[in-house]
Amino acid sequence: MKRLRIRTVVGSIFIVCGVFWLIMFPKTSDVLRPDFVISAALGIGLIVTGVLFLLFKKSKMLVGTVFIFLLWSVLLNVCLLATIRHTLEFIKETTQTACQVQTESPTP
């Protein structure tokens, strides 16, 4: 009975923190920017972790733990892909600007 209360309290805390994070963290207008993706992934991860704490029984806690690790791994991979995409766009813009400056400069 005591474990059920502890699991309920921990699960509820995770859900409340996730909802609070999703509502209060400032978002940008561009959905694919890394800061937005990281913020949304953190909020979703907290909410889903809290729901899993509430749903899984003691006998299935190993499966729940593996599922939580898998969830956070997927969310971290999404954040990594968003960061890589943003970095590649920055490198592309920088090289285009460098090429334009090089072609516009007078030759000696």
PDB file of all heavy atoms in Angstrom, residues 3 6-7 9-10 14-15 19 22 27 36-37 42 44 46 51 53 58-59 73 75 84 88 95 98 104:
ATOM      1  N   ARG A   3       3.926   1.525  -1.217  1.00  0.00           N
ATOM      2  CA  ARG A   3       4.557   1.678  -2.526  1.00  0.00           C
ATOM      3  C   ARG A   3       3.599   2.309  -3.528  1.00  0.00           C
ATOM      4  O   ARG A   3       4.015   3.063  -4.390  1.00  0.00           O
ATOM      5  CB  ARG A   3       5.039   0.328  -3.048  1.00  0.00           C
ATOM      6  CG  ARG A   3       6.284  -0.171  -2.377  1.00  0.00           C
ATOM      7  CD  ARG A   3       7.003  -1.120  -3.329  1.00  0.00           C
ATOM      8  NE  ARG A   3       8.167  -1.693  -2.716  1.00  0.00           N
ATOM      9  CZ  ARG A   3       9.377  -1.182  -2.857  1.00  0.00           C
ATOM     10  NH1 ARG A   3       9.556  -0.107  -3.558  1.00  0.00           N
ATOM     11  NH2 ARG A   3      10.411  -1.760  -2.290  1.00  0.00           N
ATOM     12  N   ILE A   6       3.633   6.003  -2.896  1.00  0.00           N
ATOM     13  CA  ILE A   6       4.883   6.614  -3.355  1.00  0.00           C
ATOM     14  C   ILE A   6       4.887   6.700  -4.881  1.00  0.00           C
ATOM     15  O   ILE A   6       5.242   7.737  -5.448  1.00  0.00           O
ATOM     16  CB  ILE A   6       6.097   5.811  -2.836  1.00  0.00           C
ATOM     17  CG1 ILE A   6       6.211   5.950  -1.319  1.00  0.00           C
ATOM     18  CG2 ILE A   6       7.381   6.274  -3.511  1.00  0.00           C
ATOM     19  CD1 ILE A   6       7.252   5.063  -0.692  1.00  0.00           C
ATOM     20  N   ARG A   7       4.486   5.600  -5.560  1.00  0.00           N
ATOM     21  CA  ARG A   7       4.430   5.611  -7.017  1.00  0.00           C
ATOM     22  C   ARG A   7       3.443   6.658  -7.519  1.00  0.00           C
ATOM     23  O   ARG A   7       3.700   7.345  -8.508  1.00  0.00           O
ATOM     24  CB  ARG A   7       4.038   4.224  -7.518  1.00  0.00           C
ATOM     25  CG  ARG A   7       4.987   3.690  -8.513  1.00  0.00           C
ATOM     26  CD  ARG A   7       4.675   2.325  -9.062  1.00  0.00           C
ATOM     27  NE  ARG A   7       3.291   1.970  -9.119  1.00  0.00           N
ATOM     28  CZ  ARG A   7       2.759   0.887  -8.572  1.00  0.00           C
ATOM     29  NH1 ARG A   7       3.528   0.057  -7.895  1.00  0.00           N
ATOM     30  NH2 ARG A   7       1.483   0.613  -8.692  1.00  0.00           N
ATOM     31  N   VAL A   9       2.511   9.448  -5.980  1.00  0.00           N
ATOM     32  CA  VAL A   9       3.054  10.788  -5.736  1.00  0.00           C
ATOM     33  C   VAL A   9       4.157  11.110  -6.741  1.00  0.00           C
ATOM     34  O   VAL A   9       4.177  12.198  -7.333  1.00  0.00           O
ATOM     35  CB  VAL A   9       3.582  10.904  -4.288  1.00  0.00           C
ATOM     36  CG1 VAL A   9       4.387  12.169  -4.095  1.00  0.00           C
ATOM     37  CG2 VAL A   9       2.420  10.862  -3.307  1.00  0.00           C
ATOM     38  N   VAL A  10       5.063  10.163  -6.968  1.00  0.00           N
ATOM     39  CA  VAL A  10       6.164  10.394  -7.917  1.00  0.00           C
ATOM     40  C   VAL A  10       5.615  10.584  -9.329  1.00  0.00           C
ATOM     41  O   VAL A  10       6.034  11.503 -10.056  1.00  0.00           O
ATOM     42  CB  VAL A  10       7.185   9.238  -7.854  1.00  0.00           C
ATOM     43  CG1 VAL A  10       8.196   9.346  -8.984  1.00  0.00           C
ATOM     44  CG2 VAL A  10       7.888   9.228  -6.524  1.00  0.00           C
ATOM     45  N   PHE A  14       5.933  14.020 -11.653  1.00  0.00           N
ATOM     46  CA  PHE A  14       6.466  14.035 -13.018  1.00  0.00           C
ATOM     47  C   PHE A  14       5.471  14.670 -13.989  1.00  0.00           C
ATOM     48  O   PHE A  14       5.847  15.489 -14.839  1.00  0.00           O
ATOM     49  CB  PHE A  14       6.813  12.630 -13.499  1.00  0.00           C
ATOM     50  CG  PHE A  14       8.183  12.172 -13.107  1.00  0.00           C
ATOM     51  CD1 PHE A  14       8.352  11.001 -12.396  1.00  0.00           C
ATOM     52  CD2 PHE A  14       9.308  12.890 -13.465  1.00  0.00           C
ATOM     53  CE1 PHE A  14       9.609  10.565 -12.042  1.00  0.00           C
ATOM     54  CE2 PHE A  14      10.573  12.472 -13.118  1.00  0.00           C
ATOM     55  CZ  PHE A  14      10.721  11.300 -12.393  1.00  0.00           C
ATOM     56  N   ILE A  15       4.202  14.314 -13.891  1.00  0.00           N
ATOM     57  CA  ILE A  15       3.188  14.864 -14.799  1.00  0.00           C
ATOM     58  C   ILE A  15       3.034  16.361 -14.591  1.00  0.00           C
ATOM     59  O   ILE A  15       3.000  17.132 -15.561  1.00  0.00           O
ATOM     60  CB  ILE A  15       1.848  14.126 -14.607  1.00  0.00           C
ATOM     61  CG1 ILE A  15       1.975  12.689 -15.110  1.00  0.00           C
ATOM     62  CG2 ILE A  15       0.724  14.840 -15.346  1.00  0.00           C
ATOM     63  CD1 ILE A  15       0.783  11.821 -14.790  1.00  0.00           C
ATOM     64  N   VAL A  19       3.822  19.215 -17.442  1.00  0.00           N
ATOM     65  CA  VAL A  19       2.821  20.188 -17.898  1.00  0.00           C
ATOM     66  C   VAL A  19       3.309  21.608 -17.617  1.00  0.00           C
ATOM     67  O   VAL A  19       3.190  22.496 -18.473  1.00  0.00           O
ATOM     68  CB  VAL A  19       1.459  19.920 -17.219  1.00  0.00           C
ATOM     69  CG1 VAL A  19       0.491  21.060 -17.463  1.00  0.00           C
ATOM     70  CG2 VAL A  19       0.882  18.608 -17.706  1.00  0.00           C
ATOM     71  N   LEU A  22       5.954  22.510 -20.206  1.00  0.00           N
ATOM     72  CA  LEU A  22       5.402  22.774 -21.537  1.00  0.00           C
ATOM     73  C   LEU A  22       4.681  24.115 -21.593  1.00  0.00           C
ATOM     74  O   LEU A  22       4.703  24.800 -22.614  1.00  0.00           O
ATOM     75  CB  LEU A  22       4.444  21.655 -21.947  1.00  0.00           C
ATOM     76  CG  LEU A  22       5.096  20.371 -22.426  1.00  0.00           C
ATOM     77  CD1 LEU A  22       4.037  19.320 -22.711  1.00  0.00           C
ATOM     78  CD2 LEU A  22       5.938  20.600 -23.654  1.00  0.00           C
ATOM     79  N   LYS A  27       8.670  29.444 -26.019  1.00  0.00           N
ATOM     80  CA  LYS A  27       8.865  28.741 -27.287  1.00  0.00           C
ATOM     81  C   LYS A  27       9.154  29.757 -28.399  1.00  0.00           C
ATOM     82  O   LYS A  27       8.730  30.901 -28.339  1.00  0.00           O
ATOM     83  CB  LYS A  27       7.608  27.946 -27.660  1.00  0.00           C
ATOM     84  CG  LYS A  27       7.073  27.062 -26.564  1.00  0.00           C
ATOM     85  CD  LYS A  27       7.778  25.744 -26.532  1.00  0.00           C
ATOM     86  CE  LYS A  27       7.176  24.735 -25.603  1.00  0.00           C
ATOM     87  NZ  LYS A  27       7.057  25.050 -24.228  1.00  0.00           N
ATOM     88  N   PHE A  36      13.388  24.744 -29.220  1.00  0.00           N
ATOM     89  CA  PHE A  36      11.988  24.328 -29.141  1.00  0.00           C
ATOM     90  C   PHE A  36      11.872  22.809 -29.025  1.00  0.00           C
ATOM     91  O   PHE A  36      11.092  22.291 -28.223  1.00  0.00           O
ATOM     92  CB  PHE A  36      11.215  24.812 -30.374  1.00  0.00           C
ATOM     93  CG  PHE A  36       9.783  24.373 -30.387  1.00  0.00           C
ATOM     94  CD1 PHE A  36       8.838  25.074 -29.668  1.00  0.00           C
ATOM     95  CD2 PHE A  36       9.389  23.256 -31.095  1.00  0.00           C
ATOM     96  CE1 PHE A  36       7.516  24.669 -29.666  1.00  0.00           C
ATOM     97  CE2 PHE A  36       8.076  22.839 -31.099  1.00  0.00           C
ATOM     98  CZ  PHE A  36       7.137  23.553 -30.376  1.00  0.00           C
ATOM     99  N   VAL A  37      12.660  22.094 -29.821  1.00  0.00           N
ATOM    100  CA  VAL A  37      12.600  20.634 -29.811  1.00  0.00           C
ATOM    101  C   VAL A  37      13.034  20.089 -28.452  1.00  0.00           C
ATOM    102  O   VAL A  37      12.396  19.184 -27.891  1.00  0.00           O
ATOM    103  CB  VAL A  37      13.474  20.044 -30.943  1.00  0.00           C
ATOM    104  CG1 VAL A  37      13.564  18.538 -30.847  1.00  0.00           C
ATOM    105  CG2 VAL A  37      12.909  20.451 -32.295  1.00  0.00           C
ATOM    106  N   LEU A  42      11.567  17.503 -23.470  1.00  0.00           N
ATOM    107  CA  LEU A  42      11.666  17.404 -22.015  1.00  0.00           C
ATOM    108  C   LEU A  42      10.284  17.354 -21.372  1.00  0.00           C
ATOM    109  O   LEU A  42      10.022  16.523 -20.502  1.00  0.00           O
ATOM    110  CB  LEU A  42      12.471  18.581 -21.459  1.00  0.00           C
ATOM    111  CG  LEU A  42      12.722  18.570 -19.965  1.00  0.00           C
ATOM    112  CD1 LEU A  42      13.539  17.347 -19.578  1.00  0.00           C
ATOM    113  CD2 LEU A  42      13.422  19.823 -19.538  1.00  0.00           C
ATOM    114  N   ILE A  44       7.381  16.448 -22.784  1.00  0.00           N
ATOM    115  CA  ILE A  44       6.712  15.195 -23.158  1.00  0.00           C
ATOM    116  C   ILE A  44       7.324  14.021 -22.403  1.00  0.00           C
ATOM    117  O   ILE A  44       6.614  13.130 -21.931  1.00  0.00           O
ATOM    118  CB  ILE A  44       6.795  14.986 -24.683  1.00  0.00           C
ATOM    119  CG1 ILE A  44       5.920  16.016 -25.387  1.00  0.00           C
ATOM    120  CG2 ILE A  44       6.379  13.578 -25.073  1.00  0.00           C
ATOM    121  CD1 ILE A  44       6.110  16.073 -26.887  1.00  0.00           C
ATOM    122  N   LEU A  46       8.755  14.045 -19.433  1.00  0.00           N
ATOM    123  CA  LEU A  46       8.313  14.068 -18.040  1.00  0.00           C
ATOM    124  C   LEU A  46       6.877  13.579 -17.898  1.00  0.00           C
ATOM    125  O   LEU A  46       6.555  12.809 -16.979  1.00  0.00           O
ATOM    126  CB  LEU A  46       8.456  15.481 -17.467  1.00  0.00           C
ATOM    127  CG  LEU A  46       9.878  15.948 -17.188  1.00  0.00           C
ATOM    128  CD1 LEU A  46       9.887  17.427 -16.824  1.00  0.00           C
ATOM    129  CD2 LEU A  46      10.501  15.129 -16.073  1.00  0.00           C
ATOM    130  N   VAL A  51       3.105   9.148 -16.390  1.00  0.00           N
ATOM    131  CA  VAL A  51       2.005   8.234 -16.724  1.00  0.00           C
ATOM    132  C   VAL A  51       2.456   6.780 -16.580  1.00  0.00           C
ATOM    133  O   VAL A  51       1.709   5.937 -16.074  1.00  0.00           O
ATOM    134  CB  VAL A  51       1.489   8.523 -18.153  1.00  0.00           C
ATOM    135  CG1 VAL A  51       0.555   7.440 -18.632  1.00  0.00           C
ATOM    136  CG2 VAL A  51       0.817   9.879 -18.207  1.00  0.00           C
ATOM    137  N   PHE A  53       4.739   5.673 -14.539  1.00  0.00           N
ATOM    138  CA  PHE A  53       4.807   5.393 -13.109  1.00  0.00           C
ATOM    139  C   PHE A  53       3.434   5.031 -12.562  1.00  0.00           C
ATOM    140  O   PHE A  53       3.307   4.177 -11.695  1.00  0.00           O
ATOM    141  CB  PHE A  53       5.353   6.603 -12.336  1.00  0.00           C
ATOM    142  CG  PHE A  53       6.812   6.522 -12.036  1.00  0.00           C
ATOM    143  CD1 PHE A  53       7.736   7.159 -12.844  1.00  0.00           C
ATOM    144  CD2 PHE A  53       7.269   5.824 -10.944  1.00  0.00           C
ATOM    145  CE1 PHE A  53       9.076   7.098 -12.576  1.00  0.00           C
ATOM    146  CE2 PHE A  53       8.619   5.749 -10.655  1.00  0.00           C
ATOM    147  CZ  PHE A  53       9.524   6.385 -11.477  1.00  0.00           C
ATOM    148  N   LYS A  58       4.016  -3.315  -9.767  1.00  0.00           N
ATOM    149  CA  LYS A  58       5.331  -3.702  -9.266  1.00  0.00           C
ATOM    150  C   LYS A  58       5.911  -4.872 -10.061  1.00  0.00           C
ATOM    151  O   LYS A  58       7.106  -4.926 -10.303  1.00  0.00           O
ATOM    152  CB  LYS A  58       5.233  -4.074  -7.793  1.00  0.00           C
ATOM    153  CG  LYS A  58       6.559  -4.403  -7.172  1.00  0.00           C
ATOM    154  CD  LYS A  58       6.413  -4.754  -5.717  1.00  0.00           C
ATOM    155  CE  LYS A  58       7.769  -5.133  -5.143  1.00  0.00           C
ATOM    156  NZ  LYS A  58       7.663  -5.527  -3.764  1.00  0.00           N
ATOM    157  N   SER A  59       5.063  -5.794 -10.490  1.00  0.00           N
ATOM    158  CA  SER A  59       5.556  -6.959 -11.215  1.00  0.00           C
ATOM    159  C   SER A  59       6.102  -6.606 -12.601  1.00  0.00           C
ATOM    160  O   SER A  59       6.920  -7.326 -13.141  1.00  0.00           O
ATOM    161  CB  SER A  59       4.441  -8.007 -11.355  1.00  0.00           C
ATOM    162  OG  SER A  59       3.369  -7.461 -12.101  1.00  0.00           O
ATOM    163  N   SER A  73      15.736   7.813 -24.662  1.00  0.00           N
ATOM    164  CA  SER A  73      16.701   7.647 -25.745  1.00  0.00           C
ATOM    165  C   SER A  73      16.152   8.197 -27.053  1.00  0.00           C
ATOM    166  O   SER A  73      16.862   8.901 -27.790  1.00  0.00           O
ATOM    167  CB  SER A  73      17.062   6.167 -25.900  1.00  0.00           C
ATOM    168  OG  SER A  73      17.864   5.974 -27.029  1.00  0.00           O
ATOM    169  N   LEU A  75      13.795  10.497 -27.376  1.00  0.00           N
ATOM    170  CA  LEU A  75      13.693  11.955 -27.257  1.00  0.00           C
ATOM    171  C   LEU A  75      15.053  12.628 -27.395  1.00  0.00           C
ATOM    172  O   LEU A  75      15.172  13.683 -28.033  1.00  0.00           O
ATOM    173  CB  LEU A  75      13.038  12.332 -25.928  1.00  0.00           C
ATOM    174  CG  LEU A  75      11.562  11.948 -25.799  1.00  0.00           C
ATOM    175  CD1 LEU A  75      11.059  12.237 -24.382  1.00  0.00           C
ATOM    176  CD2 LEU A  75      10.721  12.682 -26.819  1.00  0.00           C
ATOM    177  N   ILE A  84      21.713  18.823 -35.181  1.00  0.00           N
ATOM    178  CA  ILE A  84      22.525  18.565 -36.384  1.00  0.00           C
ATOM    179  C   ILE A  84      21.941  19.301 -37.579  1.00  0.00           C
ATOM    180  O   ILE A  84      22.681  19.902 -38.374  1.00  0.00           O
ATOM    181  CB  ILE A  84      22.636  17.049 -36.647  1.00  0.00           C
ATOM    182  CG1 ILE A  84      23.522  16.403 -35.593  1.00  0.00           C
ATOM    183  CG2 ILE A  84      23.165  16.769 -38.045  1.00  0.00           C
ATOM    184  CD1 ILE A  84      23.532  14.896 -35.643  1.00  0.00           C
ATOM    185  N   LEU A  88      23.918  22.132 -39.697  1.00  0.00           N
ATOM    186  CA  LEU A  88      24.158  22.022 -41.137  1.00  0.00           C
ATOM    187  C   LEU A  88      23.619  23.234 -41.887  1.00  0.00           C
ATOM    188  O   LEU A  88      24.261  23.721 -42.837  1.00  0.00           O
ATOM    189  CB  LEU A  88      23.532  20.744 -41.680  1.00  0.00           C
ATOM    190  CG  LEU A  88      24.228  19.446 -41.273  1.00  0.00           C
ATOM    191  CD1 LEU A  88      23.451  18.243 -41.783  1.00  0.00           C
ATOM    192  CD2 LEU A  88      25.647  19.421 -41.774  1.00  0.00           C
ATOM    193  N   THR A  95      28.973  29.179 -45.618  1.00  0.00           N
ATOM    194  CA  THR A  95      29.765  28.952 -46.827  1.00  0.00           C
ATOM    195  C   THR A  95      29.221  29.760 -48.001  1.00  0.00           C
ATOM    196  O   THR A  95      30.001  30.257 -48.821  1.00  0.00           O
ATOM    197  CB  THR A  95      29.798  27.463 -47.195  1.00  0.00           C
ATOM    198  OG1 THR A  95      28.471  26.967 -47.307  1.00  0.00           O
ATOM    199  CG2 THR A  95      30.570  26.663 -46.168  1.00  0.00           C
ATOM    200  N   ALA A  98      30.466  33.266 -47.463  1.00  0.00           N
ATOM    201  CA  ALA A  98      31.897  33.349 -47.747  1.00  0.00           C
ATOM    202  C   ALA A  98      32.158  33.328 -49.247  1.00  0.00           C
ATOM    203  O   ALA A  98      33.029  34.057 -49.750  1.00  0.00           O
ATOM    204  CB  ALA A  98      32.634  32.213 -47.062  1.00  0.00           C
ATOM    205  N   GLU A 104      32.820  38.878 -54.708  1.00  0.00           N
ATOM    206  CA  GLU A 104      32.636  40.318 -54.774  1.00  0.00           C
ATOM    207  C   GLU A 104      33.918  41.099 -54.528  1.00  0.00           C
ATOM    208  O   GLU A 104      34.010  42.276 -54.877  1.00  0.00           O
ATOM    209  CB  GLU A 104      31.573  40.760 -53.751  1.00  0.00           C
ATOM    210  CG  GLU A 104      30.182  40.269 -54.110  1.00  0.00           C
ATOM    211  CD  GLU A 104      29.162  40.614 -53.030  1.00  0.00           C
ATOM    212  OE1 GLU A 104      29.571  41.213 -52.004  1.00  0.00           O
ATOM    213  OE2 GLU A 104      27.999  40.272 -53.208  1.00  0.00           O
TER     214      GLU A 104
END
